[in-house]
Amino acid sequence: MISATERLDDISVIENDLLSVALFKNGCQTLIKQLASGAQYQKHPKGKILFVNQDPAERFYIIKSGWVKLFRETVDGTQAVVDILDRGHIFGEHALFNNGLYSYSAEVAEAAEIISLPMQYLQKELQQNNALSLNMLETMAQQHLKLDKEVEHRSLQTAPQRIGCFILRLARDTQDDKITIQLPYDKTLVASRLGMQPETFSRALSKLKNQTGIRVKGSIIEVENLSPLIEYTCNACSSNYPCKDLPPEE
Amino acid sequence: MISATERLDDISVIENDLLSVALFKNGCQTLIKQLASGAQYQKHPKGKILFVNQDPAERFYIIKSGWVKLFRETVDGTQAVVDILDRGHIFGEHALFNNGLYSYSAEVAEAAEIISLPMQYLQKELQQNNALSLNMLETMAQQHLKLDKEVEHRSLQTAPQRIGCFILRLARDTQDDKITIQLPYDKTLVASRLGMQPETFSRALSKLKNQTGIRVKGSIIEVENLSPLIEYTCNACSSNYPCKDLPPEE
DNA sequence: CGAGGGTTTGAAGTGCATCAAATAGTGTGG
DNA sequence: CCACACTATTTGATGCACTTCAAACCCTCG
């Protein structure tokens, strides 16, 4: 539960991080510099709650490393995971359009380095900088598409298919025939990301294994031949196979 | 399958329609006038397909009356309904940020009057008009929030609860204790909107009836007392009761 | 009145959740 | 390097929610 805040002597490090975020691409130097001046850098351990749904939002966040889970939860504690994000992704910025309140909760899923920035800077800059607005529109439209797909997947795909889809998306940048994939975070979390129970995940993965010939060793998955996996998974989806989301910038 | 296109002698009618769309609120007259000049007005019968997923997008659409279903479908014809829209709503405009391709299909669900506008005008105007960009950001952020909730509802609520939620949202502008609600479109469509089969809808509605004391006569629903309905429904949701989406402008 | 679509009901099956318990894996201190 | 504690993962047994397939019913409209 302890988070370390560090005072950075070298603000240019942060400027660099900001440059790598899609939202700020082509951003003018002055914007980046101004944002960086209000930036805060923190290391957070797994489990740290960054904010909860409906909190007033002073700042928004950028992930430098690690994983962050965005979710919504009911009074009885049941939660629906909205997304799980890693490096280069930004979150919390939607509060700008939600009366200044966050519209989901955020928790560190794997120890993370996170940069936070004052919402005000972003807001003020959006008012004057149409290029930034357009960037943000683009970013948001991509998120929107991702969510549309999410709705589709959760209503049309079975549990094993959703796992297959998840694996294929991880494998998306490889061209090899024989592919080795490492699950990015623990299986329980993957399960929640896919909207199923851990037990279901376990059973569904082994069903997928039998149906498509993939190999599973702990958190490592080997795929000799993509075809049966694609066949089995992508049949129940409206997109055709190389259905990449845009990759985060390098 | 026949759609009537009408040449409008009076373009100011369309200008009026555009003014009522959230995206164009506070829009300058010149923008509205320009848009209206490229506008096309059409009446479409139920069932008419306006465009399908991945079609190149020349135009985007505004609903003047009737209902339009947005959906994604797999090769075998199974579909996932993304949303069902009515008057004052806009759709198809996301293609701007999706390489000019629509990212879902659109079908007229109840006979509709629809205005379409050239995507180019919008794109060009966004480049120069930050106020418009900001409007669009706001619109999109609201859609995003709506989708987040959708994901939550579909994974956390049971079928009867989703119906209860749907009913409560229809009832949202009434203050009376005794409320009468008319389903906006046929039950099969409501079912698909809520991600369930028509049979499930039917059974779930009668379960909801028993649990909460609502009265159902065909497509009309009477609620004597909201409390049991709210209690039954909103327990499985992260938002608290008067959880209105923003209403469409008058 | 009869046709056809929307809606309901019935019977049976499937997928996922739940609860409980066993097993594997990881990090700790000795 | 081992034993222990704790967590992640798997496995088993059972139940519930929703789907599927089939048929009846109902309502509207020609």
Side-chain angles (χ1 to χ4, degrees):
Chain A
M1 288 301 147
I2 308 147
S3 304
T5 308
E6 283 175 24
R7 189 80 205 82
L8 292 185
D9 354 86
D10 191 0
I11 228 170
S12 68
V13 174
I14 290 216
E15 287 179 23
N16 251 332
D17 292 328
L18 296 190
L19 282 170
S20 76
V21 174
L23 181 58
F24 302 127
K25 74 176 180 199
N26 315 325
C28 55
Q29 284 302 319
T30 60
L31 164 60
I32 298 281
K33 274 201 193 308
Q34 198 205 1
L35 281 169
S37 75
Q40 223 171 28
Y41 164 90
Q42 287 190 296
K43 288 186 183 175
H44 295 290
K46 178 170 178 171
K48 168 80 182 180
I49 302 285
L50 298 170
F51 55 77
V52 312
N53 193 2
Q54 301 302 312
D55 271 359
E58 300 292 328
R59 308 177 76 83
F60 68 101
Y61 301 82
I62 293 167
I63 306 175
K64 190 169 154 60
S65 73
W67 292 90
V68 173
K69 174 176 79 171
L70 308 184
F71 63 101
R72 325 185 91 232
E73 74 182 336
T74 66
V75 272
D76 67 6
T78 320
Q79 40 179 248
V81 173
V82 174
D83 208 348
I84 294 180
L85 303 175
D86 69 342
R87 188 174 56 69
H89 287 98
I90 180 178
F91 61 96
E93 84 283 12
H94 286 71
L96 263 188
F97 307 99
N98 188 41
N99 304 315
L101 305 179
Y102 293 118
S103 52
Y104 41 71
S105 308
E107 176 186 333
V108 174
E110 298 292 343
E113 300 174 282
I114 293 178
I115 293 168
S116 72
L117 300 165
M119 202 75 96
Q120 287 183 339
Y121 287 20
L122 181 61
Q123 177 159 39
K124 210 179 73 192
E125 190 68 19
L126 280 172
Q127 301 298 335
Q128 332 170 315
N129 184 340
N130 195 41
L132 180 62
S133 301
L134 290 173
N135 273 353
M136 192 155 177
L137 272 173
E138 196 166 310
T139 307
M140 225 191 254
Q142 279 159 24
Q143 294 172 1
H144 192 286
L145 182 56
K146 196 172 163 188
L147 266 181
D148 275 354
K149 289 184 181 178
E150 197 63 35
V151 169
E152 179 194 324
H153 288 164
R154 295 205 189 192
S155 51
L156 263 35
Q157 292 183 315
T158 64
Q161 285 170 332
R162 288 210 294 283
I163 298 176
C165 182
F166 186 79
I167 292 173
L168 284 172
R169 272 175 285 154
L170 286 174
R172 68 170 186 259
D173 3 63
T174 334
Q175 301 299 349
D176 283 340
D177 222 31
K178 152 94 176 222
I179 295 171
T180 302
I181 295 151
Q182 164 93 241
L183 293 179
Y185 32 80
D186 67 53
K187 290 182 175 177
T188 305
L189 195 55
V190 177
S192 71
R193 166 69 183 76
L194 299 177
M196 66 186 81
Q197 298 307 118
E199 296 95 326
T200 302
F201 178 87
S202 175
R203 286 185 253 258
L205 181 56
S206 76
K207 180 168 184 185
L208 185 68
K209 197 173 56 178
N210 295 334
Q211 301 281 314
T212 66
I214 64 175
R215 213 110 29 116
V216 179
K217 295 173 193 153
S219 68
I220 293 175
I221 293 168
E222 288 175 8
V223 186
E224 298 272 347
N225 185 351
L226 276 178
S227 318
L229 184 55
I230 295 172
E231 164 80 11
Y232 181 84
T233 301
C234 303
N235 257 351
C237 181
S238 72
S239 318
N240 312 50
Y241 165 58
C243 57
K244 4 187 154 240
D245 313 316
L246 308 223
E249 331 288 295
E250 211 37 57
Chain B
M1 288 302 145
I2 308 148
S3 305
T5 307
E6 285 173 23
R7 189 80 204 84
L8 292 185
D9 354 270
D10 191 0
I11 227 169
S12 68
V13 175
I14 290 216
E15 287 179 25
N16 250 332
D17 292 328
L18 297 190
L19 282 169
S20 76
V21 174
L23 181 59
F24 302 127
K25 75 178 178 197
N26 315 325
C28 54
Q29 283 303 318
T30 60
L31 164 61
I32 298 281
K33 274 201 193 309
Q34 197 206 3
L35 282 170
S37 75
Q40 222 171 30
Y41 166 90
Q42 287 190 299
K43 288 186 181 175
H44 294 289
K46 178 170 179 171
K48 167 80 182 180
I49 301 286
L50 297 170
F51 55 78
V52 312
N53 194 1
Q54 301 304 311
D55 270 0
E58 299 292 329
R59 307 177 77 84
F60 67 101
Y61 300 82
I62 293 167
I63 306 176
K64 189 169 155 61
S65 74
W67 291 90
V68 174
K69 174 176 80 171
L70 309 184
F71 64 100
R72 325 186 91 232
E73 74 183 337
T74 65
V75 273
D76 67 7
T78 321
Q79 42 181 215
V81 173
V82 173
D83 208 349
I84 294 180
L85 304 175
D86 68 343
R87 188 173 56 69
H89 287 98
I90 179 178
F91 61 95
E93 83 284 13
H94 285 72
L96 263 189
F97 308 100
N98 188 41
N99 304 316
L101 305 180
Y102 293 118
S103 54
Y104 41 70
S105 308
E107 176 186 332
V108 174
E110 298 290 344
E113 299 174 282
I114 293 178
I115 293 167
S116 72
L117 300 165
M119 200 76 96
Q120 286 183 339
Y121 287 21
L122 180 62
Q123 177 158 39
K124 209 179 73 193
E125 190 67 18
L126 280 172
Q127 302 296 337
Q128 330 170 317
N129 184 342
N130 195 39
L132 180 61
S133 301
L134 290 173
N135 272 353
M136 191 154 178
L137 271 173
E138 195 165 310
T139 306
M140 225 191 253
Q142 280 160 23
Q143 294 171 1
H144 193 284
L145 181 56
K146 195 171 165 189
L147 266 181
D148 275 353
K149 290 184 180 177
E150 196 65 35
V151 169
E152 179 195 323
H153 289 164
R154 295 204 188 191
S155 51
L156 263 36
Q157 292 184 315
T158 63
Q161 285 169 333
R162 289 209 294 282
I163 297 176
C165 182
F166 186 79
I167 291 173
L168 285 172
R169 273 175 285 153
L170 286 174
R172 67 172 187 256
D173 2 63
T174 334
Q175 301 299 350
D176 283 339
D177 221 30
K178 153 94 174 222
I179 295 171
T180 302
I181 295 149
Q182 164 94 242
L183 293 180
Y185 32 79
D186 66 54
K187 291 181 174 177
T188 306
L189 195 55
V190 178
S192 71
R193 166 69 184 74
L194 300 176
M196 65 187 80
Q197 299 307 118
E199 296 95 326
T200 302
F201 179 87
S202 175
R203 287 185 252 258
L205 181 55
S206 76
K207 180 169 184 184
L208 185 69
K209 196 174 57 180
N210 295 332
Q211 302 281 314
T212 67
I214 64 176
R215 212 107 33 113
V216 180
K217 296 174 192 152
S219 68
I220 292 175
I221 294 169
E222 288 175 8
V223 186
E224 297 272 348
N225 185 354
L226 275 179
S227 318
L229 184 55
I230 295 172
E231 165 80 12
Y232 181 85
T233 302
C234 304
N235 257 351
C237 182
S238 71
S239 319
N240 312 49
Y241 166 58
C243 57
K244 4 186 154 240
D245 312 316
L246 306 224
E249 329 289 292
E250 211 38 60

